[in-house]
Amino acid sequence: MTILDKLAAEPTTPSQEAHIENHSRRRFLQGVAGLTLAIYLPGGARAATPASSTGPLFEPNAFLRIGVDNSVTVIAKHLEMGQGTHTGLATVLAEELDAAWEQVKVEGAPADARRYNNLLWGSVQGTGGSTAMANSWEQMRRAGAMGRAMLVGAAAQKWRVPAAGITVADGVVSHPASGRRATFGELAQAAAEQPLPAEVRLKSPQEFKLIGRHVPRKDSAEKVKGTAIFTQDVHLPGMLTAVVAHPPRFGARLKRFDAAKTKAVKGVVDVVAVPSGVAVLAKDTWSARKGRDALVVEWDEASGYQGSSENIFARYREMAQKPGSIARKDGDPEAVFAGAAKVLKAAYDFPYLAHAAMEPLDCVVKLSADGCEIWNGEQMQTLDQAKVAELLGLEPEQVKLHMLYAGGSFGRRASKHADYVLEAVHIARAIGGKAPVKLVWLREDDMQAGYYRPAFHHVLEAAIDAEGRLLGWRHRLVGQSINADSPMSGLMKDGIDLTSVEGAATLPYDIPNLVVDLHTPQDVGVPVLWWRSVGSTHTAYSTEAFLDEVAAAMGQDPVRLRLELLKKHPRHAAVLRLAAEKAGWGTPLPPGKPGERRGRGVAVHESFRSCVAQVAEVTVQADGSLKVDRIVAAVDCGIAINPDNVRSQVEGSVGFALSALLYGAITLEGGQVQQSNFHDYALLRINEMPEVEVHILASAAPPTGIGEPGVPPVAPAVANAIAAATGKRLRRLPIDPAELKA
Amino acid sequence: MPTLDINGKPIRVDEAPDTPLLWVLRDTLRLTGTKYSCGMGLCGACTVHVDGQPVRSCITPIAAAAGKKIVTIEGVGESRAARVAQAVEEAWRRLDVVQCGYCQPGQIMSAVALLEENPRPTDADIDAAMAGNLCRCGTYVRIRAAIHEAAKSLA
Ligand code: FES
Ligand code: FES
């Protein structure tokens, strides 16, 4: 008997209206009022029907709802976790609909793999890999264009005029010849009766009015007012807040616990064991935390992780002595290295990194007799839904997801094992579903519970011949696979996780003899996960820092050498040229104050099908402390749907990447994570933020990613600038200022 | 049983005196605009005004706030600092500062407190006043620009 059968058998709790009680935003879950125009896309090959607020509103691929109140609601299948996806999706749809931007609202879609799957991910609904705009571009344009065609059809019928004479602009449908006009709202009901257009015409880029212009973010106002609802902010009637005692090391198990003192804490309601630890449930977060502090727990630590970062790197260095699985091989690198006039070699270490989003992980769960409701900023909607359903013995449709904003994620909420979501469900089940549960991870839990950017060790070698030509390149990587035990295991090819070698095996430089190989250590015992820009977080650094070293050894200018090697990669070359030009590459840097050393460095990298080049300017003090003064970036991300958001993402990426370069390290000792909060896992602060200048390459190609591609070039550009200033090549991240002392 | 003056209203709460103000605001009073992120005074997400000063509510016991004027993001637009708050919010919207938005109520409370005290802050003043507010999304370039813009609009 599942918990839900049990709940059905003993209806002890009065059914509770699932509305969020929240003084910041009371109207949160109000129903949809009025008639709406439901747009069906091919696949749901039938006409749209007016939907009432009770019936099933939309069938396959429903992205648009027009209310009689003249509101245009865009249904966003992607999570808004900061990257502007809601605004971007709405912009693309509103463009083809010819809506007025002010009338557009955005609503998170429910979980539904059939209607809301990521078109680049097959049947999975989820947000990641900077794919939101790339996969939705055509889909959202068609959704908007169909809406427009049906509004025009309705107007033509009503006014008895040919559709060809009707124009639409700024949310108003007009027939200039007769002077008739109507708003979308006035036509919504009639438009819903229109047949689905067989074909729609999409605009040519010259006709765009919203795409490529500045449109304000849809989420600004409520985020500025503090009324935007994050999972952390959800209050349901009767809800309990759970804080969990996790084992002190990965893989350790619960031996026993004594909750006597915990239960004596005012506000604590229950203490339950779950597979991931011991949950303390209380009326509020602070009581739950105090209750957890009072908990006496004994863990079976022998079964847990016992290693350390030092052991891990020692093992990786050892593994790097032998060839790994080949990810790419061109020409005859062995012969070229054997006959080289000069061979350069460098090894790099990259630590584990925590995502450390400002909103620590959290999830709200409410069980009922016939299902389960989840409130969360979900990054992997349908995968999490399926896992929850499996755990509860339900059909996926019985797991209802309410999409909220996520206070950052950077990959952490794309949990490959649904860890925190399932933990919340386990807790709700352990108390027999008697109350909705809000699971809250305190910052320390978030920092220590794993799922880090994997640690990596790289070894690079370059072969230069007697004429000073770069003829050979060897790149060996050692690090855990993110995808092997994930639902994305399809990204494994012949034992090689493509995300481990992305940016390395895809090196764009024209070097005739090249080999990239990979060791994937098994059973390391530290859980790893996608982290903003994934493999490129380390491959961009090692390849771009090493190429800079090679340029120096060859006596070549780093920009000129790259351009020389990028003849077959015009997008890379174009952003590199633009960034170099805007940064004044080749002109002398204004000198610093006495004792200061200044330098300029460059890097270019492609990730998520976008190319970004950056030039960094740094000042290094005599004591080794460092200030990044300026980053000049050039970006090719296809059509920039919202150029201001492209700039904003690149600015933010600079801050994100600098945190990792300057401070980021999760280290393990005696099996335990050493960091716990922002005092020992520091993030960049405003006084350390450089000026950022972003230049966008004009493009007519469909949009590619922008949430992540700004990250990879930052660290190598800065490292190359440091080398220009000090002559020191930094091979171990994060930077140790002691290495930079004058 | 302390009485707190929150956004101009006296509110009796029955939490223990050492309970951090943050949790009374968020969990008891459901004023969830004030955010939890570190709980140790390290990030500024929980910033509120206490007698006009920016304070980290996660490390402020309610006993220490009793009898003082507490203003949260929900009330700052109608507080004594209303004029500055409106200018700051307007600048934040105009420049689209926010990304995930989670840190932003705290950023805005710190920015309002800064401009209340110093109507024409320099970059160095902004660094000093805002360095306690972390933004993982890295919106710092725009935070700085928005503070300057708000200052200009108030001049
Ligand atoms: S939550 Fe209070 S300073 Fe971070
Ligand atoms: S906007 Fe996301 S943490 Fe600041």
Side-chain angles (χ1 to χ4, degrees):
Chain A
M1 181 155 104
T2 70
I3 177 65
L4 296 147
D5 300 328
K6 209 169 134 220
L7 282 170
E10 317 163 21
T12 46
T13 20
S15 83
Q16 288 153 327
E17 257 295 274
H19 67 275
I20 297 180
E21 286 190 325
N22 181 295
H23 290 205
S24 297
R25 193 176 164 203
R26 278 178 207 273
R27 340 159 263 106
F28 185 68
L29 281 180
Q30 278 173 9
V32 181
L35 288 172
T36 55
L37 163 64
I39 298 301
Y40 297 77
L41 294 183
R46 40 176 294 246
T49 49
S52 75
S53 57
T54 50
L57 284 175
F58 309 112
E59 288 295 334
N61 293 325
F63 297 98
L64 170 61
R65 197 162 65 218
I66 297 176
V68 289
D69 62 354
N70 203 31
S71 64
V72 169
T73 304
V74 175
I75 315 296
K77 67 179 184 179
H78 291 294
L79 169 65
E80 177 58 85
M81 49 187 153
Q83 278 57 52
T85 52
H86 277 194
T87 302
L89 293 168
T91 304
V92 175
L93 189 149
E95 175 70 64
E96 296 288 351
L97 183 64
D98 277 316
W101 187 241
E102 301 69 42
Q103 76 188 132
V104 176
K105 299 190 287 193
V106 188
E107 194 178 288
D112 188 335
R114 210 164 41 96
R115 291 182 297 172
Y116 297 123
N117 59 318
N118 184 325
L119 301 178
L120 291 169
W121 290 3
S123 60
V124 173
Q125 183 186 359
T127 309
S130 296
T131 56
M133 293 306 122
N135 93 92
S136 304
W137 172 244
E138 282 277 327
Q139 190 175 45
M140 297 306 278
R141 289 179 77 193
R142 290 192 168 280
M146 286 196 175
R148 184 187 190 280
M150 291 164 84
L151 289 163
V152 168
Q157 211 164 42
K158 201 167 160 196
W159 300 334
R160 295 172 208 270
V161 299
I166 291 177
T167 60
V168 188
D170 288 330
V172 178
V173 182
S174 326
H175 184 247
S178 66
R180 288 198 185 84
R181 295 159 59 86
T183 64
F184 287 3
E186 287 160 355
L187 290 168
Q189 212 166 329
E193 317 274 348
Q194 286 290 307
L196 183 81
E199 279 293 323
V200 287
R201 191 191 77 90
L202 299 181
K203 291 182 181 176
S204 67
Q206 303 87 274
E207 296 171 273
F208 289 160
K209 288 181 189 154
L210 297 173
I211 292 170
R213 306 282 162 84
H214 176 73
V215 297
R217 283 182 75 118
K218 280 295 169 195
D219 52 352
S220 260
E222 54 184 340
K223 286 180 175 177
V224 164
K225 274 280 168 211
T227 53
I229 297 293
F230 299 88
T231 308
Q232 201 67 229
D233 304 329
V234 171
H235 281 278
L236 300 176
M239 184 182 84
L240 297 175
T241 301
V243 169
V244 181
H246 291 135
R249 45 186 88 231
F250 303 122
R253 288 206 196 86
L254 177 66
K255 221 187 230 168
R256 72 177 83 87
F257 68 95
D258 176 356
K261 289 206 185 89
T262 298
K263 287 191 167 155
V265 172
K266 193 179 157 217
V268 169
V269 174
D270 213 341
V271 181
V272 293
V274 289
S276 52
V278 182
V280 176
L281 293 113
K283 293 203 150 55
D284 58 85
T285 319
W286 183 246
S287 306
R289 183 195 184 132
K290 284 207 296 194
R292 188 181 71 174
D293 289 347
L295 192 68
V296 180
V297 202
E298 244 183 90
W299 306 97
D300 171 10
E301 298 205 32
S303 61
Y305 181 70
Q306 309 289 338
S308 71
S309 298
E310 279 317 310
N311 306 148
I312 291 170
F313 279 115
R315 176 180 171 196
Y316 288 8
R317 276 182 216 116
E318 182 70 36
M319 290 175 87
Q321 302 300 315
K322 300 208 184 77
S325 314
I326 293 190
R328 175 175 166 194
K329 189 168 179 182
D330 299 349
D332 189 351
E334 290 79 7
V336 166
F337 273 91
K342 193 171 185 181
V343 172
L344 296 178
K345 183 171 178 176
Y348 299 86
D349 287 335
F350 302 94
Y352 290 104
L353 293 173
H355 301 76
M358 291 305 284
E359 179 184 17
L361 286 177
D362 41 23
C363 182
V364 176
V365 174
K366 179 173 185 273
L367 299 180
S368 60
D370 55 0
C372 167
E373 280 181 272
I374 302 215
W375 285 260
N376 189 18
E378 272 282 342
Q379 207 179 333
M380 289 288 202
Q381 290 95 323
T382 56
L383 293 178
D384 288 354
Q385 181 190 43
K387 291 211 173 77
V388 170
E390 193 189 331
L391 175 64
L392 294 173
L394 296 171
E395 293 303 316
E397 306 77 66
Q398 291 172 281
V399 178
K400 190 173 172 205
L401 214 65
H402 302 274
M403 278 299 279
L404 304 175
Y405 292 126
S409 170
F410 315 110
R412 185 57 183 90
R413 283 177 188 267
S415 168
K416 55 186 174 182
H417 302 133
D419 62 334
Y420 70 103
V421 175
L422 290 183
E423 182 173 82
V425 175
H426 273 294
I427 297 167
R429 190 167 71 160
I431 60 164
K434 72 182 178 208
V437 170
K438 171 158 74 176
L439 168 67
V440 171
W441 282 20
L442 301 176
R443 173 59 55 197
E444 293 76 10
D445 308 320
D446 191 273
M447 199 70 85
Q448 301 198 314
Y451 291 102
Y452 305 125
R453 191 284 303 269
F456 260 82
H457 176 68
H458 291 217
V459 182
L460 286 98
E461 290 173 278
I464 298 166
D465 74 357
E467 276 105 83
R469 293 174 303 177
L470 172 58
L471 292 185
W473 180 274
R474 281 204 287 237
H475 189 170
R476 181 162 299 154
L477 303 91
V478 187
Q480 285 165 266
S481 164
I482 296 168
N483 287 316
D485 63 345
S486 85
M488 303 289 177
S489 56
L491 288 170
M492 306 287 295
K493 294 263 157 21
D494 303 325
I496 290 185
D497 181 341
L498 296 181
T499 62
S500 294
V501 294
E502 61 189 353
T506 52
L507 193 79
Y509 299 118
D510 197 1
I511 304 170
N513 305 284
L514 175 151
V515 62
V516 178
D517 65 357
L518 171 74
H519 289 283
T520 305
Q522 309 292 327
D523 308 321
V524 176
V526 181
V528 295
L529 194 58
W530 306 287
W531 191 95
R532 195 180 194 179
S533 81
V534 199
S536 292
T537 57
H538 47 96
T539 60
Y541 188 89
S542 65
T543 56
E544 285 297 276
F546 188 60
L547 186 69
D548 223 66
E549 220 168 305
V550 171
M554 293 165 71
Q556 287 231 37
D557 175 79
V559 171
R560 181 148 339 132
L561 175 64
R562 282 178 174 82
L563 288 174
E564 200 57 43
L565 298 171
L566 286 171
K567 295 220 169 89
K568 294 179 191 148
H569 286 86
R571 288 179 77 207
H572 289 73
V575 291
L576 180 58
R577 254 189 237 106
L578 183 60
E581 179 209 315
K582 297 287 183 187
W585 187 266
T587 63
L589 251 189
K593 299 190 200 92
E596 288 180 347
R597 294 159 289 166
R598 302 201 69 214
R600 197 187 263 140
V602 68
V604 59
H605 191 81
E606 176 182 0
S607 59
F608 310 99
R609 297 193 260 169
S610 292
C611 287
V612 181
Q614 294 179 357
V615 174
E617 293 170 10
V618 305
T619 303
V620 186
Q621 305 293 336
D623 67 356
S625 62
L626 168 78
K627 175 82 201 324
V628 181
D629 302 306
R630 184 163 88 124
I631 300 272
V632 177
V635 181
D636 179 350
C637 58
I639 290 174
I641 294 169
N642 186 329
D644 190 56
N645 189 59
V646 170
R647 283 190 287 274
S648 155
Q649 283 308 301
V650 175
E651 291 161 11
S653 294
V654 168
F656 192 84
L658 284 180
S659 289
L661 176 70
L662 299 178
Y663 307 118
I666 289 288
T667 55
L668 293 124
E669 230 178 277
Q672 302 201 3
V673 175
Q674 301 295 292
Q675 291 71 26
S676 61
N677 207 317
F678 298 130
H679 62 291
D680 50 15
Y681 190 85
L683 304 180
L684 198 81
R685 293 179 183 272
I686 193 169
N687 54 308
E688 303 164 300
M689 183 74 188
E691 275 174 47
V692 182
E693 213 178 287
V694 183
H695 302 276
I696 303 168
L697 226 83
S699 171
T704 51
I706 200 56
E708 299 167 272
V711 174
V714 178
V718 171
N720 294 339
I722 291 171
T726 66
K728 303 255 168 58
R729 299 278 174 188
L730 300 169
R731 303 226 172 90
R732 192 177 179 144
L733 299 192
I735 287 178
D736 176 3
E739 281 191 61
L740 299 179
K741 276 198 188 125
Chain B
M1 222 179 264
T3 298
L4 299 175
D5 178 342
I6 297 174
N7 297 330
K9 286 190 210 92
I11 295 176
R12 283 169 67 86
V13 293
D14 69 353
E15 271 77 6
D18 64 345
T19 307
L21 175 60
L22 171 69
W23 298 113
V24 173
L25 294 173
R26 288 187 53 78
D27 286 355
T28 311
L29 305 174
R30 314 244 167 108
L31 292 166
T32 52
T34 305
K35 301 300 183 202
Y36 163 73
S37 184
C38 75
M40 284 179 69
L42 299 166
C43 77
C46 64
T47 305
V48 298
H49 295 172
V50 175
D51 283 348
Q53 294 300 307
V55 157
R56 309 295 181 232
S57 64
C58 69
I59 50 168
T60 304
I62 49 175
K68 300 184 176 157
K69 293 200 177 316
I70 301 161
V71 174
T72 71
I73 187 77
E74 288 87 355
V76 72
E78 285 105 49
S79 71
R80 258 190 7 210
R83 192 169 154 265
V84 168
Q86 281 152 19
V88 166
E89 288 171 12
E90 170 62 25
W92 242 253
R93 281 193 300 267
R94 203 160 44 230
L95 298 188
D96 266 346
V97 172
V98 309
Q99 290 190 27
C100 84
Y102 196 78
C103 73
Q104 299 295 345
Q107 305 280 2
I108 287 169
M109 294 304 281
S110 290
V112 171
L114 165 64
L115 288 171
E116 276 285 307
E117 208 173 281
N118 176 355
R120 294 311 295 265
T122 62
D123 278 339
D125 296 336
I126 292 174
D127 282 348
M130 302 300 294
N133 286 81
L134 289 175
C135 175
R136 182 56 158 157
C137 299
T139 63
Y140 300 130
V141 169
R142 289 175 189 227
I143 288 173
R144 183 184 303 283
I147 292 173
H148 284 308
E149 174 137 341
K152 225 179 283 160
S153 77
L154 287 163

